[in-house]
């Protein structure tokens, strides 16, 4: 019975190289197809149902990890990566084989031995668990805010923002030099900002924490906040006062 | 201690409720002590207390009302003595009035009270002002330490940022894999890639230790980087420079700028704009002098920044841009700027404005 494989890498030089090396070290292996991106890799897998898939991790569009999730369990996966400590640790943990670029004959030989001797069904539950965990960990906060200024659209770095102020359905973005308008509600924006950097201090105001110079408490438990790089003062509402209690 | 205070130019604050509380305690203590001392005039504890508190509170009030005013005219220690004297006299006048109905009681025939008042006034003065000064000096030392730490932190941050701007391991290993893959099939391309990698590595190692490079040096690095990425991405990446060959403009060519300001932005455009796009894109780098500032634009036709929601892992902006931004701020202050805007129809335009920095 012939063993079939696909090789997927966005760099064709590396696809060719791996195909040549596989031909030398495992002549019986039939490479049924190669692909340069995730989508065509999945199409290839559906067409040929290969026994083995060599998947590059970094690819345009779908990554190798995403392709792996879409492949049937009877396809054994070998990940290929140039340098990715995080992923490599995960693969060791999940007992999924991987190759580091540049691929050496000795290491590829070892992988081939493992592939020949491993059971036909790969248990991917650990890998899937890890991938899911990695996805939730990688919550990316808003770094650039697309905002209008006169007639132009500009991108404002989150670190330049002093505070946000709700203005009906829109939100004003106050920086050191000017005021921009974002066509989104402050609630939507707030959900995407890094909570370690931005604090909501009022239903309509979100301030960057390191811009807070001082917070003065009044008798009703509200705080008046003075800012480092702006002469505006902000007022917290009572329900957000706890943020400053220890200051 | 006085020298320290003056050297730091401290503005004394008027005493507050906390000082008032200590002051009162102190007065009670003196009244208590005086009960046990052979004190010929006051037979009643109440009277001792009244005298003690009148003096204590009057001194407190004098500090509160006149402290800030006197500090403008006299050295700190002189105004402290003056305030104590004023407070003491007023206190004795008040005490005399309350105890015997005679304001001058303590100034006429009973010098013991006056002497005791002066003595305890001085004791109180020494205790409180030492306490206050110690606290101030301590606060100043802490502040000085914080300032120093912040400065050191900033310095370290700059160095770290520069280190971070250096070549990524992933890029290095990937390039080497490509060279190995090319070595048999396309040896000339392999050779050229190794030459480019050498240029990039050498400059990255050398330049991080240099304060300033010329624009043409920075662009050589950018070209070496882009040529390596072109081998990897092939048809998916193209680039242009304008002016393509600026030999005729020597001042532009030799414009001094801090190292690794342009390359990270180009790298960012490749990694986050063009590489994640299946169809790829192009990069255009332009440099010109505008009102004696260097204006560099880096425009790509990649994915651009997500319209909605936070940037996905593969698209938008990497750490490279924030890195360059903070280094610009540290190196040039507000004179330099980095702005980011949408490119039409897709992609991002980054504009760098760098002032001329004399060596």
């Amino acid at each position: 019975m012939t063993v079939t494989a696909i090789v997927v890498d966005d760099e064709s030089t590396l696809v060719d190289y791996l195909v040549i090396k596989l031909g030398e070290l495992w002549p019986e292996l039939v490479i049924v197809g190669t692909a340069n991106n995730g989508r065509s890799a999945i199409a290839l897998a559906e067409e040929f149902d290969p026994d083995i898939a060599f998947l590059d991790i970094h690819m345009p569009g779908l990554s190798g990890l995403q392709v792996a999730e879409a492949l049937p369990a009877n396809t054994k996966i070998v990940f290929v990566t140039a340098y990715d400590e995080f992923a490599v640790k995960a693969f060791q943990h999940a007992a999924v084989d991987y190759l580091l670029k540049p691929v050496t004959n000795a290491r590829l030989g070892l992988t081939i031995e493992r592939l020949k001797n491993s059971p036909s069904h790969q248990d991917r539950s650990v890998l899937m668990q890890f991938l899911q965990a990695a996805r939730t960990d990688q919550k990316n906060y808003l770094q650039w805010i697309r905002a209008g200024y006169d007639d132009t659209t500009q991108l404002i770095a989150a670190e330049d923002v002093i505070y946000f102020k709700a203005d009906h359905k829109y939100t004003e973005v106050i920086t050191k030099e000017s005021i921009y308008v974002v066509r989104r509600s402050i609630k939507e924006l707030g959900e995407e900002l890094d909570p370690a950097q931005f604090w909501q201090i009022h239903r309509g105001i979100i301030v960057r924490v390191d811009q807070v110079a001082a917070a003065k408490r009044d008798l009703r438990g509200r705080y008046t906040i003075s800012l480092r790089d702006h002469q505006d003062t902000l007022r917290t509402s009572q329900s957000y006062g706890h943020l400053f209690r220890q200051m | 201690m006085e020298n320290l205070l003056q050297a730091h130019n401290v503005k004394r604050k008027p005493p507050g409720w906390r000082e008032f509380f200590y002051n009162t305690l102190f007065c009670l203590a003196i009244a208590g002590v005086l009960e046990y001392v052979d004190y010929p005039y006051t037979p009643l504890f109440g009277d001792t207390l009244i005298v003690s508190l009148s003096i204590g509170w009057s001194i407190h009030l004098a500090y509160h009302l006149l402290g800030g005013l006197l500090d403008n005219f006299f050295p700190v220690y002189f105004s402290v003595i003056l305030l104590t004297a004023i407070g003491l006299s007023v206190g004795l006048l008040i005490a005399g009035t309350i105890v015997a109905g005679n304001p001058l009681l303590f100034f006429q025939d009973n010098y013991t009270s006056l002497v005791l008042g002066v003595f305890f006034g001085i004791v109180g003065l020494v205790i409180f002002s030492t306490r206050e000064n110690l606290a101030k000096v301590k606060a100043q030392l802490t502040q000085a330490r914080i300032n120093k730490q912040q400065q050191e932190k900033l310095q370290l941050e700059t160095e770290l940022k520069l280190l971070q701007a250096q070549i990524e391991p992933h890029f290095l290993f990937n390039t080497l894999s490509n060279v190995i893959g090319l070595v048999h099939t396309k040896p000339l391309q392999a050779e050229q890639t190794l030459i480019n990698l050498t240029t990039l590595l050498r400059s990255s190692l050398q330049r991080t230790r240099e304060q300033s490079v010329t624009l043409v040096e920075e662009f050589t690095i950018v070209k070496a980087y882009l040529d390596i990425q072109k081998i990897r991405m092939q048809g998916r990446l193209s680039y242009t420079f304008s002016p393509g060959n600026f030999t005729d403009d020597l001042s532009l060519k030799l414009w001094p700028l801090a190292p690794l300001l342009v390359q990270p932005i180009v790298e960012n455009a490749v990694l986050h704009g063009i590489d994640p796009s299946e169809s790829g894109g192009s990069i255009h780098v332009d440099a010109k002098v505008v009102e004696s500032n260097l204006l560099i634009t880096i425009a790509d036709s990649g994915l651009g920044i997500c319209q909605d929601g936070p940037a996905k892992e593969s698209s938008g902006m990497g750490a490279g841009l924030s890195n360059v931004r903070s280094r610009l701020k540290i190196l040039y202050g507000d004179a330099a700027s980095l702005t980011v805007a949408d490119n039409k129809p897709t992609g991002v335009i980054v504009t760098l404005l760098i002032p001329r920095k004399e060596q």
Side-chain angles (χ1 to χ4, degrees), chain B residues 7-47:
Chain B
H8 288 277
N9 197 15
V10 186
K11 195 88 181 143
R12 286 175 341 114
K13 272 198 297 191
W17 289 109
R18 183 210 279 271
E19 281 75 17
F20 181 76
F21 174 72
Y22 284 129
N23 189 340
T24 308
L25 271 188
F26 182 71
C27 293
L28 288 173
I30 290 172
V33 168
L34 287 182
E35 274 302 287
Y36 292 97
V37 177
D38 182 24
Y39 190 48
Y41 187 76
T42 49
L44 293 167
F45 178 62
D47 286 353

Side-chain angles (χ1 to χ4, degrees), chain B residues 8 33 76 121 123 198 235 265-266 292 332 351 357:
Chain B
H8 288 277
V33 168
V76 175
V123 170
T198 310
I265 297 173
V266 171
S292 74
Y332 300 98
T351 309
K357 203 177 191 181

Side-chain angles (χ1 to χ4, degrees), chain A residues 11-12 39 101 146 160, chain B residues 178 234 278 305 325 342:
Chain A
E11 297 163 43
S12 45
R39 278 189 301 128
K101 301 183 210 177
R146 190 184 298 267
D160 279 349
Chain B
N178 270 289
Q234 296 180 336
E278 282 175 23
I305 297 158
R325 278 172 55 87
D342 281 327

Side-chain angles (χ1 to χ4, degrees), chain B residues 58-327:
Chain B
S58 300
I59 292 177
H60 182 91
L61 206 65
Y63 271 78
H64 194 88
L65 297 177
L66 302 172
L69 189 73
L70 286 187
D71 279 358
N72 292 335
F73 301 107
F74 306 108
V76 175
Y77 261 57
F78 185 73
S79 69
V80 160
I81 290 165
L82 199 65
L83 286 168
T84 309
I86 295 170
L88 181 63
S89 318
V90 173
L92 285 171
L93 289 175
I94 294 171
T97 317
I98 296 174
V99 173
N102 175 10
L104 295 176
L105 177 73
F106 293 103
F107 296 95
Q108 288 166 343
D109 51 354
N110 202 317
Y111 290 105
T112 330
S113 318
L114 192 62
V115 169
L116 276 174
V118 169
F119 175 70
F120 285 115
I122 288 169
V123 170
L125 174 79
V126 169
I127 292 175
F128 285 120
S129 69
T130 310
R131 221 181 62 92
E132 193 185 353
N133 290 352
L134 266 181
K136 264 176 198 159
V137 169
K138 214 181 269 173
Q140 268 158 4
L141 283 178
T142 317
Q143 189 57 47
R145 209 172 297 139
I146 289 171
N147 286 348
K148 197 169 165 237
Q149 272 171 354
Q150 268 171 348
Q151 232 162 20
E152 278 167 5
K153 195 174 147 232
L154 205 67
Q155 175 82 27
L156 280 177
E157 259 173 21
T158 330
E159 282 166 22
L160 184 70
K161 295 244 156 84
L162 201 53
L163 283 175
Q164 284 169 341
Q166 287 181 51
I167 290 170
E168 260 191 302
H170 184 271
F171 172 78
L172 188 61
F173 289 118
N174 212 50
T175 306
L176 288 173
S177 315
N178 270 289
V179 172
I180 292 170
L182 288 168
V183 105
H184 296 294
T185 50
K186 294 170 185 163
L188 285 180
Q189 262 192 28
E191 185 186 6
Q192 190 53 48
T193 306
L194 277 181
I195 291 170
N196 285 332
L197 184 63
T198 310
T199 311
L200 207 57
L201 275 177
R202 176 172 295 129
S203 57
S204 165
L205 292 175
Q206 274 176 357
R207 293 189 323 156
T208 47
R209 288 182 217 114
E210 280 168 26
Q211 295 291 314
S212 176
V213 294
T214 61
L215 183 66
V216 76
E217 282 173 322
E218 180 78 13
F219 274 12
T220 309
I221 307 312
V222 173
K223 276 184 178 151
Y225 175 79
L226 284 169
D227 282 336
I228 292 175
Q229 290 291 29
K230 260 181 93 157
I231 290 287
R232 194 172 75 72
M233 294 160 65
Q234 296 180 336
R236 292 200 301 125
L237 174 66
S238 63
Y239 71 83
T240 50
F241 275 81
S242 73
N245 181 8
F246 38 89
T247 37
D248 39 338
D249 191 345
L250 211 61
S251 81
L252 184 61
K253 198 176 161 182
L254 299 180
W255 190 287
L257 69 161
L260 294 175
L261 289 178
V262 183
Q263 191 271 337
I265 297 173
V266 171
E267 184 173 336
N268 189 77
V270 172
L271 294 185
H272 299 280
I274 295 172
D275 200 19
S277 150
E278 282 175 23
S279 55
S282 62
I283 288 184
H284 181 72
V285 184
D286 179 82
K288 60 183 169 217
V289 177
V290 176
E291 288 167 4
S292 74
N293 286 316
L294 178 63
L295 191 76
I296 304 172
T297 52
I298 298 111
D300 72 70
S301 64
L303 289 182
I305 297 158
C306 292
Q307 285 288 342
D308 303 300
K312 281 192 224 111
E313 185 208 355
S314 55
S315 67
M317 307 301 198
L321 277 191
S322 338
N323 190 321
V324 172
R325 278 172 55 87
S326 43
R327 278 177 54 223

Side-chain angles (χ1 to χ4, degrees), chain B residues 41-60:
Chain B
Y41 187 76
T42 49
L44 293 167
F45 178 62
D47 286 353
T48 324
L49 196 62
I50 286 167
V51 176
S52 181
L53 283 178
S54 312
I55 295 171
W57 287 349
S58 300
I59 292 177
H60 182 91

